[in-house]
Amino acid sequence: FISAQHRGVHPNNIRRAPEIRAVLNARPELLTRRTLERLLRLGQVCMDRKAQEDFGDQVNVTVLLRVVTEALNSLAVTMAEGTDVWDRLALEGEKELRDKFIDMEYATALLQAGTPDACDLIPDVVPYGDERDKALENLKDMDLNPRKQPALFIISLILSTIISVYIVLGRGKSSE
């Protein structure tokens, strides 16, 4: 998934929507909390000084962290906004959604929460993805479209606004 969603030379990975959709259709097990947890752990390793020393010159940790964060953002937007999000991101009327995606607000929410379970943007219907739930077999039939879950959609909008304000206000204080 990380390779399929990688933006390459483009400013974001919206142009990779067909590839992302194809991978998610072929591998629905990626739409689980467990996948998000693994990507979060990889991102945390990239930020750990000891791990950076262990990697040495073999791995460009900054590039790896960027790519992992983009993958987190791509999976999280799919889980939070529904599987049709990759069609909606290209629409003119979806500027707010596109801006949130491009600004990495979905990944930021996950990184700030620390776990998918603590992130309010990830709907409760998203399965964990292992023996703790039986929903994995039903993933292809699962409807994550928030338009059919109005309360969840409203909560997501409110939380994304709060997170956006936090990011805007927090960036000024935490800059170098």
Side-chain angles (χ1 to χ4, degrees):
F1 179 76
I2 291 174
S3 297
Q5 68 80 45
H6 188 269
R7 66 185 173 95
V9 297
H10 303 292
N12 60 62
N13 65 355
I14 293 174
R15 291 182 180 192
R16 302 292 303 265
E19 293 97 332
I20 294 169
R21 264 195 310 273
V23 169
L24 293 177
N25 285 336
R27 303 279 314 273
E29 67 273 12
L30 291 172
L31 293 172
T32 62
R33 293 171 188 270
R34 184 176 181 101
T35 304
L36 291 175
E37 282 183 349
R38 288 176 174 169
L39 285 171
L40 277 167
R41 275 190 240 131
L42 181 56
Q44 290 164 349
V45 166
C46 290
M47 293 185 289
D48 180 72
R49 286 200 186 273
K50 175 72 172 114
Q52 291 174 6
E53 291 170 8
D54 290 345
F55 285 138
D57 292 336
Q58 296 174 348
V59 176
N60 185 333
V61 180
T62 305
V63 171
L64 180 59
L65 179 59
R66 180 181 50 83
V67 172
V68 168
T69 304
E70 290 169 353
L72 268 173
N73 200 53
S74 297
L75 282 175
V77 73
T78 304
M79 291 178 195
E81 302 293 339
T83 52
D84 69 336
V85 72
W86 295 102
D87 296 321
R88 293 175 28 225
L89 282 168
L91 299 175
E92 284 296 317
E94 295 286 354
K95 181 179 180 347
E96 184 179 339
L97 171 65
R98 192 171 38 261
D99 288 347
K100 280 176 54 178
F101 177 74
I102 291 170
D103 291 341
M104 303 291 234
E105 290 185 25
Y106 296 92
T108 301
L110 271 166
L111 291 166
Q112 289 174 344
T115 68
D117 291 338
C119 183
D120 293 331
L121 289 179
I122 305 303
D124 291 337
V125 297
V126 174
Y128 190 81
D130 66 8
E131 67 278 352
R132 288 180 261 181
D133 63 38
K134 303 287 185 213
L136 193 55
E137 296 86 35
N138 301 323
L139 250 176
K140 287 187 180 178
D141 299 325
M142 186 171 65
D143 189 359
L144 294 176
N145 191 337
R147 294 176 185 168
K148 295 181 181 174
Q149 301 171 10
L152 182 62
F153 183 66
I154 291 169
I155 291 170
S156 296
L157 285 176
I158 292 169
L159 287 172
S160 65
T161 303
I162 292 169
I163 290 170
S164 298
V165 170
Y166 175 80
I167 290 169
V168 169
L169 295 177
R171 281 190 180 158
K173 295 177 184 175
S174 64
S175 297
E176 299 178 48

